[in-house]
Amino acid sequence: MQATPLAVFEQIVACYPEREAIHFAGHSESFDALSRRAAAMARMFAAEGVTSRRHVLISAPNSVAVASAVPAIWSLGAIPAFLSPNVLADRRAEVIARLDPALILTEDVLESAPAPGEGTLNGAARAPEIGSVVFTSGSTGVPKGVEQTAATLLDGARRVAA
């Protein structure tokens, strides 16, 4: 199996489905539930027109839904791009114009995302080389995007796990 962030996530889900994957704001979710939530989100995102190599802008506070959205985006071969929801409206508009995302995920959109359903993620072979884009705060101008390769994301995850 190709070593991509999604492939590693899928391996962990297969090995430890009932293990707690995330605990946030009093809510816990197993790897299996997180994966099923991500699969349901991937279907929603695909219906919204998210395709391979397109960006999906995530501009929402941390949540279980954000954690589920990332593997959902990867499974479509798309690239998650993170922008703080606190960025000023004019600067946000400039980022959106430059990035031209296939979809913008705000807190409101994520709150309406589907609950864990049936099905699994399947898209590791389509994963782009870029694992994510993180935008700066834009405190001195328009936020700038910093690309992180999939290899860099995996290296960081391995270091944290070790």
Side-chain angles (χ1 to χ4, degrees):
M1 184 181 294
Q2 184 181 5
T4 65
L6 179 60
V8 171
F9 175 75
E10 289 176 322
Q11 285 177 323
I12 293 168
V13 170
C15 291
Y16 310 105
E18 299 309 316
R19 190 173 285 178
E20 182 180 75
I22 189 167
H23 184 89
F24 184 80
H27 177 78
S28 293
E29 196 146 293
S30 69
F31 279 105
D32 178 63
L34 188 71
S35 178
R36 288 184 295 109
R37 182 183 301 277
M41 291 175 110
R43 289 188 293 276
M44 180 182 101
F45 299 164
E48 292 290 329
V50 175
T51 57
S52 184
R53 306 222 182 275
R54 292 292 311 273
H55 291 93
V56 175
L57 185 63
I58 302 172
S59 188
N62 290 333
S63 67
V64 171
V66 168
S68 303
V70 174
I73 294 164
W74 287 333
S75 77
L76 298 171
I79 304 164
F82 298 92
L83 177 67
S84 169
N86 300 322
V87 169
L88 299 174
D90 60 331
R91 292 179 178 166
R92 175 184 313 281
E94 288 185 53
V95 168
I96 291 168
R98 284 190 325 210
L99 190 65
D100 186 29
L103 183 63
I104 300 171
L105 300 178
T106 62
E107 188 172 14
D108 292 340
V109 171
L110 289 168
E111 284 178 2
S112 67
E118 297 304 316
T120 59
L121 293 169
N122 187 7
R126 294 180 287 168
E129 192 172 305
I130 302 303
S132 70
V133 178
V134 178
F135 282 90
T136 63
S137 66
S139 59
T140 60
V142 177
K144 296 179 181 47
V146 178
E147 291 182 342
Q148 298 175 316
T149 65
T152 299
L153 290 178
L154 286 173
D155 184 53
R158 287 184 187 113
R159 290 172 190 262
V160 169

